[in-house]
Coordinates of all heavy atoms in Angstrom, one line a residue:
M1 N -27.6 -27.5 -53.4 CA -27.6 -28.4 -52.2 C -26.5 -28.0 -51.2 O -26.7 -27.9 -50.0 CB -27.4 -29.9 -52.6 CG -27.5 -30.9 -51.5 SD -29.1 -30.9 -50.7 CE -28.8 -32.2 -49.5
K2 N -25.3 -27.8 -51.8 CA -24.2 -27.4 -51.0 C -24.4 -26.1 -50.2 O -24.1 -25.9 -49.0 CB -22.9 -27.2 -51.8 CG -21.6 -27.0 -51.1 CD -20.4 -26.9 -52.0 CE -19.2 -26.7 -51.2 NZ -18.0 -26.6 -52.1
R3 N -25.1 -25.1 -50.9 CA -25.4 -23.8 -50.3 C -26.3 -24.0 -49.1 O -26.2 -23.4 -48.1 CB -25.9 -22.9 -51.3 CG -26.2 -21.5 -50.8 CD -26.7 -20.6 -51.9 NE -25.7 -20.4 -52.9 CZ -25.9 -19.7 -54.0 NH1 -27.0 -19.1 -54.3 NH2 -24.9 -19.5 -54.9
S4 N -27.3 -24.9 -49.3 CA -28.3 -25.2 -48.3 C -27.7 -25.8 -47.0 O -28.0 -25.4 -45.9 CB -29.4 -26.1 -48.8 OG -30.1 -25.5 -49.9
I5 N -26.7 -26.7 -47.3 CA -26.0 -27.3 -46.1 C -25.2 -26.3 -45.4 O -25.2 -26.3 -44.1 CB -25.1 -28.5 -46.6 CG1 -26.0 -29.7 -47.1 CG2 -24.2 -29.0 -45.5 CD1 -25.2 -30.8 -47.8
N6 N -24.5 -25.4 -46.1 CA -23.7 -24.4 -45.5 C -24.6 -23.5 -44.6 O -24.2 -23.1 -43.5 CB -23.0 -23.6 -46.5 CG -21.8 -24.4 -47.1 OD1 -21.4 -25.3 -46.5 ND2 -21.4 -23.9 -48.3
R7 N -25.8 -23.1 -45.2 CA -26.7 -22.3 -44.4 C -27.1 -23.0 -43.1 O -27.2 -22.4 -42.1 CB -27.9 -21.9 -45.3 CG -27.5 -20.8 -46.3 CD -28.8 -20.6 -47.2 NE -28.5 -19.5 -48.2 CZ -29.3 -19.2 -49.1 NH1 -30.5 -19.8 -49.2 NH2 -29.0 -18.2 -50.0
W8 N -27.4 -24.3 -43.3 CA -27.8 -25.1 -42.1 C -26.7 -25.1 -41.0 O -27.0 -24.9 -39.8 CB -28.2 -26.5 -42.6 CG -28.6 -27.4 -41.4 CD1 -29.9 -27.4 -40.8 CD2 -27.8 -28.3 -40.7 NE1 -29.9 -28.4 -39.8 CE2 -28.6 -28.9 -39.7 CE3 -26.5 -28.7 -40.9 CZ2 -28.1 -29.9 -38.9 CZ3 -26.0 -29.7 -40.0 CH2 -26.8 -30.3 -39.1
L9 N -25.5 -25.4 -41.5 CA -24.4 -25.4 -40.5 C -24.2 -24.1 -39.8 O -23.9 -24.0 -38.6 CB -23.1 -25.8 -41.3 CG -23.0 -27.3 -41.7 CD1 -21.8 -27.5 -42.6 CD2 -22.9 -28.2 -40.5
F10 N -24.3 -23.0 -40.6 CA -24.2 -21.7 -40.0 C -25.2 -21.4 -39.0 O -25.0 -20.9 -37.9 CB -24.3 -20.6 -41.2 CG -24.2 -19.2 -40.7 CD1 -23.0 -18.6 -40.3 CD2 -25.3 -18.4 -40.6 CE1 -22.9 -17.3 -39.8 CE2 -25.3 -17.1 -40.1 CZ -24.1 -16.6 -39.7

Side-chain angles (χ1 to χ4, degrees):
M1 181 68 178
K2 185 176 181 180
R3 182 177 298 175
S4 298
I5 292 173
N6 287 341
R7 286 178 178 174
W8 179 81
L9 288 172
F10 178 75

